């Protein structure tokens, strides 16, 4: 048996280490990191409904690369908007060019989510490291620009096709969320913390 590195844990007899709720395993650093995403306008103001998509893991901040046709897609755009507290997305593109892009290196590439994914933690993506910063986003690719939709459910509720539903006790949510945050050692099971 080997000890789990960083801030990850495992159950007795487990064959893999697991990150605490809300953290994502970063293979290259061997740590669980908290990721967040935001949209910035052409002047660098964050918290926008549309703009350049920026990833932040607490150690680095950079753009999200739309590389290869099979990666960044409508489902990935939907998950990014949900994680930022919006009920969905309107559109995304990679063919814009703003001066603000020169301030950032590409941090995330090969970002791919499916219809079943509810948060970025369910998705797959590749992270730039000092060893491969130049190769994380090919020249033929572009940075993701995203426009999220507005409206939706208030804080401490989650969206379902039937409408907004109150989160259970001790499980808050952001406005326009499709899930509630569960206490440590629990996970969101579709309509409750398990």
């Amino acid at each position: 048996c080997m000890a789990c590195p960083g801030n990850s844990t495992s159950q007795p007899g487990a064959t893999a280490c697991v990150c605490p709720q809300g953290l994502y395993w970063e293979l290259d650093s061997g740590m669980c990191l908290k990721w967040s995403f935001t949209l910035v306008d052409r002047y660098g103001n964050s918290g926008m409904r549309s703009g350049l998509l920026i990833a932040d893991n607490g150690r680095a901040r950079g753009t999200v690369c739309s590389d290869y046709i099979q990666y960044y897609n409508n489902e990935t755009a939907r998950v990014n908007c949900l994680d930022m507290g919006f009920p969905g997305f309107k559109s995304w593109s990679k063919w814009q060019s703003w001066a603000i892009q020169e301030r950032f290196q590409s941090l995330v590439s090969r970002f791919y989510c499916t219809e079943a994914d509810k948060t970025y933690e369910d998705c797959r993506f590749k992270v730039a490291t000092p060893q491969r910063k130049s190769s994380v986003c090919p020249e033929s690719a572009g940075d993701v620009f995203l426009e999220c939709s507005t409206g939706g459910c208030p804080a401490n509720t989650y969206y379902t096709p039937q409408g907004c539903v109150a989160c259970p006790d001790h499980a808050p949510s952001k406005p326009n969320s499709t899930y509630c945050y569960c206490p440590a050692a629990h996970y969101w099971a579709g309509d409750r913390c398990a």
Side-chain angles (χ1 to χ4, degrees):
C1 294
M2 295 177 60
C4 287
N7 52 353
S8 62
T9 60
S10 70
Q11 298 295 323
T15 59
C17 299
V18 178
C19 292
Q21 178 77 21
L23 300 181
Y24 187 86
W25 180 257
E26 185 184 55
L27 182 63
D28 295 310
S29 69
M31 295 179 62
C32 296
L33 299 174
K34 173 79 174 154
W35 284 86
S36 64
F37 297 89
T38 191
L39 295 169
V40 298
D41 65 15
R42 65 179 62 247
Y43 307 105
N45 299 311
S46 61
M48 304 288 116
R49 183 178 61 84
S50 64
L52 176 64
L53 183 60
I54 299 295
D56 186 336
N57 66 13
R59 297 176 58 177
R61 197 167 187 237
T63 61
V64 174
C65 177
S66 173
D67 54 343
Y68 310 104
I69 195 88
Q70 73 268 30
Y71 292 108
Y72 203 92
N73 58 20
N74 289 348
E75 294 305 326
T76 311
R78 176 188 59 81
V79 168
N80 279 143
C81 287
L82 291 174
D83 278 333
M84 290 184 285
F86 296 100
F89 84 101
K90 282 189 172 183
S91 64
W92 71 273
S93 70
K94 65 178 182 178
W95 302 117
Q96 296 186 45
S97 181
W98 289 356
I100 190 76
Q101 289 169 271
E102 297 300 320
R103 292 189 200 171
F104 300 100
Q105 286 192 319
S106 181
L107 182 61
V108 171
S109 68
R110 298 186 183 187
F111 202 156
Y112 179 77
C113 303
T114 66
E115 187 176 327
D117 297 330
K118 304 292 183 213
T119 175
Y120 78 87
E121 295 169 32
D122 301 324
C123 304
R124 296 185 313 259
F125 56 87
K126 183 177 178 180
V127 179
T129 64
Q131 295 79 23
R132 64 171 187 247
K133 278 190 192 234
S134 61
S135 65
V136 74
C137 195
E139 288 293 322
S140 62
D143 293 328
V144 172
F145 287 81
L146 180 59
E147 181 178 3
C148 297
S149 57
T150 58
C153 298
N156 301 320
T157 65
Y158 65 97
Y159 175 80
T160 70
Q162 294 75 36
C164 299
V165 177
C167 288
D169 288 342
H170 310 294
S173 73
K174 294 179 182 177
N176 306 314
S177 185
T178 59
Y179 62 94
C180 302
Y181 295 97
C182 298
H186 292 82
Y187 62 94
W188 184 245
D191 62 353
R192 60 186 165 70
C193 292

